[in-house]
Amino acid sequence: MAARLTATVRAATRAPRPRAAILNVTERAADRVRELLNVNNAKALRIGVRTRGCSGNAFTLDFVQEKAPTDEEVKAHGVTLYVDGKSILKILNSTMDFVETDVSSEFVFENPQAKGQCGCGESFIT
């Protein structure tokens, strides 16, 4: 006769690993998002990644009034951002900043998922 196998469950004795941030937002970026939300009378900024550009992927930014069912909510420095659920793996642990120079002002994403980018820097490959 075969031996009977049993299993038990015990509570974990160590703290769980912290969840990786979907998106980190600098104060400068949050301040600029806040200004733009007020000007555009929007509730939040939705961030996603779409297939386009010479390297294949590009960030998209859209003003929205409500969260889509698959969006992940990110609150940072008093602003609300939604990350498109289909884009999370391409955005995971990225940092969003706002940079102003003498000739431009733009949101800049530091993306650890990017393996390369096009010459102009607007699209990336994962």
Side-chain angles (χ1 to χ4, degrees):
M1 180 171 178
R4 183 173 169 212
L5 299 175
T6 62
T8 59
V9 176
R10 294 189 181 135
T13 58
R14 60 187 161 136
R17 288 188 302 177
R19 183 176 169 191
I22 294 172
L23 180 68
N24 301 298
V25 182
T26 66
E27 278 192 61
R28 282 189 307 237
D31 290 344
R32 184 62 177 150
V33 168
R34 186 177 301 105
E35 291 171 14
L36 293 171
L37 291 176
N38 288 334
V39 168
N40 292 282
N41 197 27
K43 178 182 174 189
L45 183 69
R46 177 177 289 128
I47 300 170
V49 174
R50 296 288 177 257
T51 302
R52 68 174 169 204
C54 38
S55 289
N57 299 294
F59 281 95
T60 60
L61 306 172
D62 297 300
F63 297 107
V64 295
Q65 294 300 331
E66 60 188 43
K67 180 180 172 193
T70 59
D71 286 348
E72 287 288 330
E73 186 173 304
V74 175
K75 290 189 181 265
H77 307 289
V79 297
T80 301
L81 300 107
Y82 299 139
V83 176
D84 174 40
K86 292 181 260 179
S87 303
I88 289 175
L89 291 178
K90 293 182 179 182
I91 293 177
L92 190 63
N93 208 24
S94 291
T95 298
M96 177 184 185
D97 195 8
F98 182 72
V99 178
E100 286 184 281
T101 66
D102 291 338
V103 294
S104 70
S105 60
E106 61 187 346
F107 288 106
V108 176
F109 290 87
E110 191 174 301
N111 186 352
Q113 311 309 321
K115 303 298 182 222
Q117 66 187 33
C118 66
C120 68
E122 289 189 17
S123 63
F124 63 95
I125 189 167
T126 54

